[in-house]
Amino acid sequence: MSGSAADLGAALDALPAELFDCVQVNLALLADVRHGPGTHLRLGARLTFRPRFQDGWWTVEPAVVDQVRHSAGLLGLDVDQRWDACPADRMPELIARYEPLYVVADAYHLPWLPYAGQQHMRHSFLVHPHDDGVRVWDAYRNDTRWGPAVPGHWDLSEKDLIAALGDTADVISFGTAALPEPLPAVELDDPSEYLASYAAAPDRAAALARLTLETWLLARSRLLHAACRDMALQEHLEAWQGLVQQTYVAWRMVQRGRPAPEAPLRRLGDLLNQDRVLFAVPVADGQPWRQRVAEAAASVLGLPVPAVLGGARFDTAPGYGSLRIVEIVELVERVVGVELSADDLVPENLRDLDGLCRIVARAGVGAR
């Protein structure tokens, strides 16, 4: 077994579970077993506010498949095998062959969680053979209206686990990869449209229910980022945690017929704006590779390095065009040691050094 029960137990006891959501937390647990205590903090290197539109709401909740891929890369976990919507009859073979397995399933059917029989949501855990059955490890911690979810391990029969998973589980076997250098990056979009959409929602109870999840996710990500950067922001972080409680109370009161208060949404806007100042990454600390990026761009464009460092637009260079941009991207990937996302290679990110450094930081790896 790649990580014994004793290793998992020690890592579980040391993991600050209150920093993570239910998808991240067991990747963090596995990473601490594979790479040592504290590896989990790498998940906090990148702080974002980049909402996406899903199911009628703007949300900061990431798609599970994207979150797992990005998180695993930061944690030095390499996907060995993956089975999406894994057929239940394959689980005995996989549990015996690959251990521990990382599984994402419907919390509604997982008997060790307070969500069982109460709420459908995607939830992760680790599983491996144990005695005549299986042992499930779940580091998730949260207080819910149905009781607390607490970190621990649970022994189940193989039959009971398979019945709970059905054919809804996504199953991954992780190998161990080299750890990238975790560079801090902060990407905070303008929250105006996000806030306005919740303010204008006709169903106030539904909006507050959604905001309860949103503020919970935002608060945990900020706690994790501050821990990663060892930032002393107690008052600001406590304000985020207080907002989670305030939003939940407001939602429950509206459910009982009380008018919807404006204070939680107004406070959310204030905290998002404060994030921009309090979490700003100094260039000297956050982008030690900036000089190399500037040199790469300058060499392709035929511009002086000081001009590029000073903010000269790339399109002022003779011969600027798509071919030069491709050359810049390829050279930057080589000299800085990143693989830039195709989704980020849009004109607004490729006009000057700041835009180029922004997408290098977003790649989540450091100079090699």
Side-chain angles (χ1 to χ4, degrees), residues 121-151:
M121 57 183 285
R122 303 299 284 169
H123 187 91
S124 75
F125 60 91
L126 303 176
V127 61
H128 63 79
H130 180 73
D131 293 339
D132 294 331
V134 300
R135 175 162 288 181
V136 164
W137 295 83
D138 190 349
Y140 182 64
R141 183 186 296 280
N142 191 28
D143 290 326
T144 82
R145 53 184 155 148
W146 306 288
V150 295

Side-chain angles (χ1 to χ4, degrees), residues 263-350:
L265 196 59
R266 184 169 59 248
R267 191 177 182 190
L268 173 58
D270 291 342
L271 290 177
L272 287 171
N273 287 325
Q274 291 172 30
D275 283 348
R276 293 176 176 274
V277 176
L278 296 175
F279 288 114
V281 178
V283 168
D285 295 335
Q287 295 180 347
W289 32 261
R290 185 180 179 91
Q291 178 76 25
R292 269 178 277 177
V293 174
E295 291 170 354
S299 69
V300 172
L301 295 170
L303 294 173
V305 172
V308 173
L309 285 168
R313 286 179 60 102
F314 295 166
D315 58 9
T316 62
Y320 173 85
S322 299
L323 291 177
R324 298 287 83 79
I325 289 297
V326 170
E327 291 178 25
I328 291 172
V329 168
E330 291 177 347
L331 183 55
V332 165
E333 289 184 331
R334 288 200 303 273
V335 302
V336 185
V338 298
E339 183 175 340
L340 301 180
S341 169
D343 292 340
D344 285 333
L345 301 180
V346 294
E348 56 266 33
N349 290 334
L350 300 167

Side-chain angles (χ1 to χ4, degrees), residues 348-360:
E348 56 266 33
N349 290 334
L350 300 167
R351 290 174 180 155
D352 56 25
L353 182 61
D354 283 345
L356 190 53
C357 285
R358 184 165 56 246
I359 62 175
V360 170

Side-chain angles (χ1 to χ4, degrees), residues 8-259:
L8 281 165
L12 184 77
D13 291 341
L15 189 72
E18 68 279 0
L19 301 182
F20 305 98
D21 65 34
C22 59
V23 172
Q24 294 172 319
V25 69
N26 292 303
L27 291 170
L29 176 62
L30 183 59
D32 277 10
V33 171
R34 297 282 178 85
H35 293 286
T39 305
H40 61 264
L41 287 175
R42 293 166 177 268
L43 281 177
R46 178 185 176 200
L47 180 71
T48 66
F49 178 76
R50 306 186 74 191
R52 62 192 181 96
F53 197 71
Q54 176 180 285
D55 300 330
W57 299 100
W58 284 104
T59 181
V60 296
E61 184 177 20
V64 171
V65 64
D66 294 335
Q67 185 179 21
V68 170
R69 181 179 63 249
H70 177 72
S71 298
L74 290 173
L75 293 171
L77 300 174
D78 187 40
V79 175
D80 179 32
Q81 298 285 336
R82 181 180 185 119
W83 303 267
D84 293 333
C86 183
D89 59 7
R90 290 212 62 191
M91 287 302 298
E93 168 206 345
L94 300 182
I95 290 171
R97 185 176 177 186
Y98 303 94
E99 48 177 304
L101 285 172
Y102 173 83
V103 182
V104 179
D106 188 348
Y108 187 89
H109 301 295
L110 303 180
W112 63 90
L113 292 172
Y115 303 108
Q118 301 290 346
Q119 183 173 341
H120 294 281
M121 57 183 285
R122 303 299 284 169
H123 187 91
S124 75
F125 60 91
L126 303 176
V127 61
H128 63 79
H130 180 73
D131 293 339
D132 294 331
V134 300
R135 175 162 288 181
V136 164
W137 295 83
D138 190 349
Y140 182 64
R141 183 186 296 280
N142 191 28
D143 290 326
T144 82
R145 53 184 155 148
W146 306 288
V150 295
H153 64 76
W154 294 265
D155 295 336
L156 284 73
S157 72
E158 196 173 74
K159 180 180 178 180
D160 286 345
L161 179 64
I162 291 169
L165 298 183
D167 292 339
T168 66
D170 297 330
V171 181
I172 303 175
S173 170
F174 282 108
T176 301
L179 283 170
E181 182 182 346
L183 297 175
V186 177
E187 302 157 20
L188 306 176
D189 288 352
D190 185 338
S192 300
E193 185 175 7
Y194 174 86
L195 296 169
S197 70
Y198 282 97
D203 188 334
R204 302 310 301 150
L208 283 167
R210 185 72 211 186
L211 277 174
T212 298
L213 172 62
E214 295 291 300
T215 55
W216 185 89
L217 290 168
L218 288 164
R220 290 212 168 190
S221 66
R222 277 128 185 85
L223 286 168
L224 179 56
H225 185 70
C228 177
R229 291 174 60 186
D230 195 22
M231 303 179 77
L233 294 175
Q234 182 176 354
E235 183 177 348
H236 185 63
L237 298 175
E238 286 179 351
W240 269 109
Q241 293 171 294
L243 175 61
V244 177
Q245 297 175 355
Q246 181 182 14
T247 307
Y248 176 74
V249 171
W251 169 46
R252 297 305 299 270
M253 297 302 288
V254 169
Q255 284 184 310
R256 298 187 178 99
R258 299 276 290 274

